[in-house]
Amino acid sequence: KFYPTKDEIACDKNDARGLSQKKIHEVSAFSQFISEKCTENTIIDIGSGLGYLDEILLQRGFNVIGIESNNSIHKGAMERHKKMNIDEERLRHINLIFGCDSESFSVLNSCSDVGRGGCLVALHACGDLTNHIINAFLQSQNIRCMAVVSCCYHKMLGTFPLSQELKDLSMHHDIDFFNHYFLRLGANEPLSRWWRMSADEHVEHCNNVVFRAVLEIFCQQRTLELKKKRRKATKKSEVKDFDSYLLNVQNIYDLSFSQKDISEIKELYDTKYELHNLVENISGLQFLIQQVIESLILADRKSYLEQFGAKTELYHVFDDVISPRNTVIYAVKS
């Protein structure tokens, strides 16, 4: 289902300083969704980060428990909210690696200390975290509903499929491709971004893929590890041409090349140049397959929840050009 969201930004301008437009869009739309769909008094936010979502939910009248696994981020959220004079009785912080364990269930069951009942929420629950949240929701007596946006499907460790329905189908049809590479395709960017790319952007994308592929082949031949120094591997200026890429490669990756290495990489690139005629066509197929795979992953989770009696719907709440993982799994115990 498509969930209509309002255009206004729910974040205060001062609170939103340093936030990307993507994050502002997500926090605004998701907080609106929660406030309109969740009837419980207490929100338990898994992976709460610095607490931007929690602040807005607090303004909307909820009591909030923010659970964050990263200790430094957890402390950062507490410091932010202390400076903002936020009521510590209504917004609590817990430093915890959330999972299907006794400590996590103890935290969930204690939510009645803050209010009656509770709703589990998560904005971009990575890998198996979504499955942990689903199972915690199903097993905890105090949790009545959940609203989760998933991401990083390829980081799931052998937990797909979840539902008995898809397990039976895969066994019946002898499906053997539900692996890391299948899930990685499901985590690619959406087709909508592909349609909106200009001719120059397609060239830039193609260069990025081909240049990285050649470098990876070279590193594999010499058993070198290709490890990024920063989250976003390449900048636009660094993929203008292959010479520019090689000049910047040691800034991008944790590698050190001699002049002889550089010469050999250039020779390897010359033998692979025809990839430029192929990459964008294959990338287009990947974009097309992505939406099919992601839909299957989400349908599997929906089926699993319904298998245990939870009324479940899938809602698109974000603009997928801005935020590719834009679907909320919303479930209520019947």
Side-chain angles (χ1 to χ4, degrees), residues 122-136:
L123 178 55
H124 293 146
C126 183
D128 284 320
L129 182 57
T130 294
N131 298 338
H132 293 328
I133 294 170
I134 288 172
N135 284 310

Side-chain angles (χ1 to χ4, degrees), residues 118-151:
C119 176
L120 276 178
V121 306
L123 178 55
H124 293 146
C126 183
D128 284 320
L129 182 57
T130 294
N131 298 338
H132 293 328
I133 294 170
I134 288 172
N135 284 310
F137 160 73
L138 292 171
Q139 295 175 42
S140 176
Q141 294 181 349
N142 282 12
I143 304 301
R144 314 277 176 76
C145 63
M146 59 162 270
V148 176
V149 181
S150 306
C151 68

Side-chain angles (χ1 to χ4, degrees), residues 198-211:
S198 66
D200 287 343
E201 287 171 332
H202 277 292
V203 170
E204 181 187 336
H205 177 263
C206 181
N207 286 347
N208 194 7
V209 174
V210 175
F211 297 168

Side-chain angles (χ1 to χ4, degrees), residues 166-298:
L166 189 52
K167 285 178 181 178
D168 292 343
L169 280 169
S170 60
M171 185 175 293
H172 177 74
H173 294 287
D174 196 23
I175 294 173
D176 62 356
F177 52 78
F178 289 159
N179 53 31
H180 169 82
Y181 303 104
F182 176 85
L183 297 172
R184 185 67 187 84
L185 275 175
N188 274 5
E189 292 188 346
L191 188 62
S192 55
R193 287 194 175 187
W194 175 258
W195 291 132
R196 297 188 182 201
M197 285 172 66
S198 66
D200 287 343
E201 287 171 332
H202 277 292
V203 170
E204 181 187 336
H205 177 263
C206 181
N207 286 347
N208 194 7
V209 174
V210 175
F211 297 168
R212 159 68 192 239
V214 170
L215 185 62
E216 189 166 347
I217 292 169
F218 180 83
C219 289
Q220 286 177 351
Q221 290 174 348
R222 285 157 178 76
T223 63
L224 299 173
E225 184 182 4
L226 196 57
K227 186 177 181 181
K228 291 188 290 186
K229 286 185 175 180
R230 59 195 187 215
R231 186 175 179 182
K232 185 173 175 57
T234 52
K235 298 175 182 178
K236 192 172 183 178
S237 60
E238 294 169 343
V239 291
K240 183 179 178 181
D241 52 54
F242 196 59
D243 287 338
S244 301
Y245 184 74
L246 288 179
L247 282 173
N248 290 284
V249 75
Q250 294 179 64
N251 298 324
I252 303 168
Y253 299 101
D254 190 12
L255 293 168
S256 180
F257 291 136
S258 66
Q259 283 302 314
K260 182 183 177 184
D261 291 333
I262 296 294
S263 297
E264 290 179 2
I265 295 171
K266 286 183 178 181
E267 289 175 8
L268 178 62
Y269 173 67
D270 290 338
T271 66
K272 303 295 182 183
Y273 189 82
E274 72 278 1
L275 288 174
H276 283 281
N277 300 320
L278 185 63
V279 162
E280 286 305 275
N281 295 318
I282 292 177
S283 296
L285 290 174
Q286 288 181 327
F287 276 87
L288 287 167
I289 293 169
Q290 180 279 327
Q291 59 186 352
V292 178
I293 296 174
E294 183 171 26
S295 296
L296 182 63
I297 294 167
L298 293 168

Side-chain angles (χ1 to χ4, degrees), residues 4-16:
T5 54
K6 298 172 185 176
D7 293 330
E8 68 264 20
I9 294 173
C11 298
D12 181 87
K13 287 184 179 179
N14 291 323
D15 296 340

